[in-house]
Amino acid sequence: MKSLTGYLSEAAGKNTHMTHIEDLVLDGGVKGERQAINALRSLRDMLSGNTQSSTDVTVKWDGAPAVFAGEDPETGEFFVAKKGVFNKNPMTYKSHADIDADTSGDLNKKLKMAFDNLKDVGIKGVIQGDFMFDKADLKTEKIDGVTYVTFHPNAIVYAVPKGSAMEKEISKAEIGIVWHTKYEGATFETMRAEFGREIATKLRSTSKVWAVDANLPDLSGTANFTADETAEVTKHLSAAGKTFREISSSILKDIETNKELNLIINIYNNQKVRANERITNTDQHAKGLVNFVRQRYMREIDKLKSDKGKQRKTAQRDNILSFFNRGNVKNLKKVFDLQNNIVDAKLIIINKLNSLSNINTFVKTKSGFKVSSPEGFVAIDRMEGGAVKLVDRLEFSYNNFSKDIIKGWDSPSR
């Protein structure tokens, strides 16, 4: 599998944004499409028992906030930070006073707890993880007759059976963090992300910090596909390859390089995700994009007061609309078909990976708890270190946007 590193973010490989695998078709052009298919082939081979696969997998944990910690690469001082650590002027916190100067509320409390409890665990370099809980977040809940200790940082509720070894570790801890990324470099600006590394196991053990790595265990023999499952993934990937060969490479290049066009198509597709709907009629979806562009620009033009501003925005609209000739609309249909093929293969792989979870996951509704899948997974190119997300976006979107799902931040204590 070729490198996926270029699709992490524009900031020198920082893990501040990660691309959904099907969106590589839009954001990466011909190269991105090939990488998406190759990544899924590699995962298929791995889950079919092929130990030569060049892909590792980590679990996406639904924690908050994202926490960075370690040694300032220029001064050696210990710090904690949020995503501002990679700003042009890095925002790092090297004392409680620094945290108070920039944050408040629950974020302030969690960053202070991270600072106090992580400064003596022997972090070398810079690492990134998801803050899962502090002691005040832990609750005892009975779900389907089983007593659990739970924590609920975002949309997903994590539940550990009361009395289990994991529960005893969690209940003793002041904080819980899942580590997933290590950074190396002489400055914050030049640091690059390394995924899938062992991090927690190399830190000094303390009962005050429940720390685990996001890595899944060795998958050999533990989650193998059946012959039918392998054949089903292969069918979807073959269809993706066939569709790809039918798409003009120039249209993929245009979508990749024209940032305004790329943004509009992604926004248009995400409307379906937020509505919890798959794109089923790709011909209708492609034709509907033209009307979406017109309406979007009309709203923006109507907001402008000066004739000069209206003329400039109208010219932008006409430039984008010039892309949607008959041939390009037909090619767009195939682009959406290709994304559907990739999603179909992805969902089969996600379903198999879900069976490996070693912690129970639920969502909390107004009428009680409902079983949920983990947030998703990250496929890592072992050779090059790049990564992409594998997420069931419809389930994830429903959990995040539905008014029926109670979020962790809805708690009165937060």
Side-chain angles (χ1 to χ4, degrees):
M1 185 172 69
K2 294 182 181 179
S3 170
L4 303 172
T5 306
Y7 303 100
L8 300 179
S9 73
E10 296 179 359
K14 309 302 190 298
N15 185 10
T16 54
H17 172 75
M18 198 176 290
T19 304
H20 289 279
I21 194 165
E22 62 270 30
D23 287 347
L24 287 176
V25 175
L26 301 177
D27 300 342
V30 170
K31 183 179 178 182
E33 186 282 333
R34 286 175 177 156
Q35 289 171 335
I37 292 178
N38 286 339
L40 291 170
R41 282 175 179 158
S42 187
L43 287 166
R44 175 203 61 192
D45 293 346
M46 177 184 67
L47 290 168
S48 299
N50 182 352
T51 58
Q52 301 304 309
S53 169
S54 63
T55 304
D56 288 327
V57 181
T58 64
V59 181
K60 279 183 62 61
W61 291 68
D62 190 29
V67 173
F68 299 76
E71 303 167 311
D72 184 312
E74 297 185 67
T75 69
E77 294 175 276
F78 175 77
F79 74 91
V80 295
K82 47 195 177 75
K83 289 184 178 179
V85 69
F86 295 126
N87 290 348
K88 186 173 182 180
N89 296 312
M91 180 65 71
T92 59
Y93 309 123
K94 297 174 181 176
S95 67
H96 280 208
D98 288 347
I99 297 171
D100 285 335
D102 189 52
T103 66
S104 60
D106 191 62
L107 175 61
N108 178 280
K109 180 185 79 165
K110 283 179 165 47
L111 286 172
K112 285 179 178 176
M113 294 187 76
F115 183 87
D116 292 342
N117 288 286
L118 296 176
K119 62 185 178 182
D120 297 320
V121 299
I123 298 173
K124 300 297 182 184
V126 177
I127 57 178
Q128 177 186 353
D130 292 308
F131 197 110
M132 302 306 298
F133 65 83
D134 64 52
K135 191 172 281 292
D137 296 325
L138 300 178
K139 294 179 172 55
T140 301
E141 306 266 12
K142 185 165 279 191
I143 305 173
D144 294 334
V146 178
T147 302
Y148 295 96
V149 168
T150 67
F151 46 98
H152 189 188
N154 267 323
I156 294 175
V157 178
Y158 295 90
V160 184
K162 185 76 173 174
S164 66
M166 185 184 291
E167 181 272 319
K168 291 175 182 176
E169 291 179 6
I170 286 172
S171 294
K172 288 179 184 176
E174 295 293 324
I175 62 172
I177 296 183
V178 175
W179 299 110
H180 52 72
T181 310
K182 182 175 177 61
Y183 294 89
E184 293 189 356
T187 67
F188 287 117
E189 186 177 4
T190 59
M191 280 187 164
R192 299 193 68 85
E194 297 182 17
F195 302 91
R197 295 276 296 272
E198 288 188 3
I199 298 173
T201 53
K202 296 187 176 181
L203 301 179
R204 190 174 299 120
S205 179
T206 168
S207 61
K208 292 183 178 181
V209 180
W210 180 75
V212 297
D213 291 324
N215 297 25
L216 277 175
D218 182 358
L219 302 182
S220 304
T222 59
N224 282 2
F225 273 148
T226 64
D228 286 345
E229 288 169 331
T230 300
E232 187 70 11
V233 173
T234 300
K235 180 184 78 172
H236 293 305
L237 293 180
S238 296
K242 180 176 182 295
T243 303
F244 171 53
R245 291 188 291 274
E246 296 172 352
I247 299 172
S248 166
S249 60
S250 63
I251 191 175
L252 292 174
K253 183 177 180 180
D254 286 343
I255 295 170
E256 176 193 9
T257 57
N258 186 326
K259 298 307 179 186
E260 179 69 11
L261 177 63
N262 180 283
L263 174 66
I264 287 173
I265 296 175
N266 273 296
I267 290 172
Y268 179 65
N269 283 353
N270 283 335
Q271 286 189 329
K272 282 284 191 181
V273 175
R274 289 199 174 209
N276 205 35
E277 297 175 359
R278 282 286 302 267
I279 300 169
T280 52
N281 187 328
T282 54
D283 181 60
Q284 186 180 69
H285 189 68
K287 291 174 180 175
L289 178 55
V290 182
N291 287 330
F292 176 79
V293 170
R294 289 197 180 100
Q295 292 168 9
R296 177 180 171 83
Y297 273 97
M298 185 56 66
R299 288 193 298 269
E300 292 180 1
I301 291 167
D302 288 344
K303 291 177 184 177
L304 298 173
K305 296 184 178 180
S306 72
D307 289 341
K308 189 173 181 180
K310 288 178 182 290
Q311 289 170 3
R312 184 173 61 251
K313 186 60 69 174
T314 298
Q316 290 178 2
R317 178 201 64 193
D318 293 344
N319 181 56
I320 291 294
L321 285 174
S322 69
F323 168 83
F324 294 97
N325 58 52
R326 189 172 182 179
N328 279 354
V329 171
K330 287 178 69 175
N331 269 279
L332 268 174
K333 175 199 180 307
K334 294 176 182 178
V335 169
F336 297 138
D337 285 334
L338 175 56
Q339 285 191 297
N340 276 346
N341 295 145
I342 289 172
V343 169
D344 287 336
K346 176 190 76 170
L347 291 176
I348 298 170
I349 289 169
I350 287 174
N351 187 56
K352 181 59 71 172
L353 293 174
N354 282 340
S355 67
L356 286 173
S357 178
N358 64 352
I359 191 167
N360 296 284
T361 50
F362 301 89
V363 289
K364 189 174 184 179
T365 73
K366 295 173 183 177
S367 58
F369 291 92
K370 185 175 78 170
V371 173
S372 174
S373 301
E375 181 185 340
F377 302 90
V378 177
I380 301 165
D381 180 347
R382 191 184 302 142
M383 303 300 293
E384 299 289 344
V388 287
K389 291 188 288 193
L390 284 83
V391 175
D392 183 339
R393 293 171 86 171
L394 297 191
E395 180 179 29
F396 181 71
S397 176
Y398 177 78
N399 289 344
N400 272 277
F401 298 111
S402 172
K403 294 180 180 179
D404 294 329
I405 304 296
I406 298 170
K407 315 301 189 295
W409 58 82
D410 293 329
S411 167
S413 64
R414 300 279 294 278

